[in-house]
Amino acid sequence: TPLETATKAAAPELTYYKEQIARIKTADELLSDSRLVNVMLTAHGIDPKSVTTKELKNMFLSDLSDTKS
């Protein structure tokens, strides 16, 4: 089925994500790994091509309690 095919295709990416995300300590470290970023964005339904590294960094470093951040 298409779901089984998609699940099998995603398995290596999920394994990679789990192994690498534990090592990430900063936004810069995360953003330097495009494969990891792609897995993260895709898992949240975001097309990785629709957002730039600069935009992601701004989001990660923003202050959610500050409306001007």
Side-chain angles (χ1 to χ4, degrees), residues 14-26:
L14 180 58
T15 299
Y16 179 80
Y17 179 87
K18 287 179 180 179
E19 290 171 353
Q20 299 304 313
I21 199 66
R23 300 176 185 163
I24 299 298
K25 303 293 182 217
T26 67

Side-chain angles (χ1 to χ4, degrees), residues 1-68:
T1 69
L3 179 58
E4 290 171 335
T5 302
T7 301
K8 286 180 184 177
E13 297 306 299
L14 180 58
T15 299
Y16 179 80
Y17 179 87
K18 287 179 180 179
E19 290 171 353
Q20 299 304 313
I21 199 66
R23 300 176 185 163
I24 299 298
K25 303 293 182 217
T26 67
D28 286 331
E29 287 177 351
L30 173 62
L31 295 172
S32 71
D33 186 332
S34 61
R35 183 177 176 190
L36 191 57
V37 171
N38 288 347
V39 172
M40 177 188 68
L41 293 174
T42 302
H44 288 280
I46 301 169
D47 180 354
K49 295 176 187 173
S50 71
V51 62
T52 67
T53 300
K54 184 177 179 179
E55 290 169 328
L56 288 172
K57 186 171 183 174
N58 287 340
M59 285 184 252
F60 293 150
L61 299 178
S62 68
D63 181 352
L64 297 179
S65 64
D66 181 357
T67 58
K68 295 180 182 180

